[in-house]
Amino acid sequence: MRRENEFRYSKLANILREQILSGYIKPGQYLLSENELCKHYGMSRTSVRKSLDRLLQEGLIVKKMGQGTIVSPDVLVPHNPRRTLRIVGTAPSYFADHCMQMMIQAYELENPQIEVKYLSLPVLDFWDSVQASTELGLQPDLIFISDRQCFEVEHPESFLDLREPLASSFAKQYPRIMNAFRREDSIIAAPVTFSPVYLAYNPGLFEKYGLSAPKPDWTREDFIRAAQKLTVDTDGDGITDQYGLSLSSAFSRWTVFALQNGVSFEGAADRQAVLRTLTFLHDLLYRYRIAKLSPIHRPSSEGFIHGKAGMVLTTSIELAGWLNEGMDFEPQVAALPFGDNKSTLIIANAFMVPADCGDRELALQFLQFTLGDSLQEAISRDRRFLSVQQAVNARMWDKPTLDSLHIANERFENSYFLSEVFADFDLMEEMDIEMGLFWLGLESAEATTNRILDLLHAQP
């Protein structure tokens, strides 16, 4: 736990240091308040304060009593004679934390006359932050984003169509992933990694409680029985402190249950499918009491990471982040057993090239390099992320695992980006508000179903 907390505040200190030394926050300008930093980067006040203390010791910031924190007027942004490629990316991001520097170092090794500068911006209000950096004169050559951030782009014509310059790279990718970033006749983003949302389990706990590894055809009843055996009061104090499943109320997780049960969030949804989904979630949490609800801002689940939950819905991007941060066991992939429809969600990270970027040639060269065979293999082999190249994943992962991940053969077509499930992200926010009492166990599945259907039927 201590190492994990140190990683968090070191990460924020690195992000703020990047912003200061790149000139994004200029000498004399105020940083975000502690409350705003907590909110924008999803960190505790303790981690934020430790991050600021580190920058204070380095002489990069000055605290003004009762006013806030400013960049020290004495900070000098170093001049670099090398040709510079500027990348702006979203934070927090497991891929950026554990792969970006590797990619940059490999690229700079082959191109010593070029320096790559990476600037992390908060995920909250990300596009506003990109606009602010541009207005400050820090025009990015590349923008690193999540699939949702790409789908939030209001003016796709502001980004380069990557079909022709990256045609050879796209020819090796999964068409399902590449085509998700099409806007009319253009491809406005180049995916660099992706993952379905899948079920991971702790093999050590399964063995400890006499459970066999989940079979490819295991059923919902098999899942419930396994979760019941894994739900234990380990220290005999009368309080259950280990659960079968760590469950998140984030839409990027619980929606998988809905998809598996045939729910459509467009127009006239099937009432029985919605009710079946919500009833099962309540069963897990409050009838069988074999699942523990994790905070929505941490769908990664502290319980699973620290061996206090036997299973969790996750992604290879999230899981690779845990493993690279030192998790002490190797989770395995299990088939999703929650319904008759073998469907799930997909997430992805990608690069976009602003149409008015300062160095289009360098931006495209960097993308061709990161999408090449050698680096895609390194991403998978050394950092445990899925490659966007089907051939690379076929070499690095066995077929049963690919089947469980829903990325083998035609089953990949039953996986959806969140933007394909919810055409209007405002609907998700409205549903989130309506489901507050449901997640607390204070409103029945039937009542919540009625409220959700009212929202869906009210869509234009």
Side-chain angles (χ1 to χ4, degrees), residues 288-353:
Y288 305 142
R289 298 183 184 275
I290 54 178
K292 187 69 172 177
L293 197 63
S294 62
I296 192 170
H297 66 281
R298 285 190 62 76
S300 55
S301 169
E302 293 281 353
F304 185 76
I305 294 171
H306 297 290
K308 290 294 185 177
M311 294 175 281
V312 69
L313 281 175
T314 186
T315 67
S316 65
I317 296 173
E318 189 174 58
L319 185 57
W322 301 342
L323 293 170
N324 286 314
E325 289 169 21
M327 189 167 67
D328 59 4
F329 66 94
E330 185 88 30
Q332 301 297 312
V333 180
L336 291 167
F338 306 129
D340 295 332
N341 295 345
K342 300 307 178 184
S343 300
T344 190
L345 291 171
I346 319 171
I347 64 170
N349 288 130
F351 285 100
M352 305 179 76
V353 182

Side-chain angles (χ1 to χ4, degrees), residues 141-201:
D141 301 302
L142 286 167
I143 301 178
F144 176 73
I145 44 87
S146 67
D147 58 272
R148 177 168 176 174
Q149 288 164 335
C150 180
F151 296 125
E152 289 173 343
V153 168
E154 295 181 356
H155 301 288
E157 69 277 4
S158 299
F159 296 91
L160 193 65
D161 179 4
L162 300 174
R163 286 177 305 165
E164 291 188 13
L166 297 180
S168 59
S169 298
F170 286 155
K172 300 178 182 180
Q173 292 193 12
Y174 294 93
R176 177 73 181 90
I177 301 300
M178 179 191 65
N179 289 333
F181 294 91
R182 286 185 180 273
R183 296 297 180 273
E184 296 182 353
D185 294 330
S186 300
I187 298 179
I188 64 170
V192 67
T193 190
F194 80 100
S195 177
V197 177
Y198 60 87
L199 187 66
Y201 70 95

Side-chain angles (χ1 to χ4, degrees), residues 51-77:
S51 302
L52 296 177
D53 287 343
R54 179 170 294 187
L55 299 180
L56 186 65
Q57 294 170 7
E58 295 174 8
L60 293 176
I61 61 173
V62 176
K63 292 189 176 182
K64 298 178 74 70
M65 188 65 65
Q67 298 182 51
T69 304
I70 66 169
V71 176
S72 172
D74 299 327
V75 168
L76 296 176
V77 177

Side-chain angles (χ1 to χ4, degrees), residues 73-87:
D74 299 327
V75 168
L76 296 176
V77 177
H79 172 69
N80 191 337
R82 292 192 290 172
R83 194 175 174 188
T84 302
L85 175 70
R86 291 179 173 83
I87 305 175

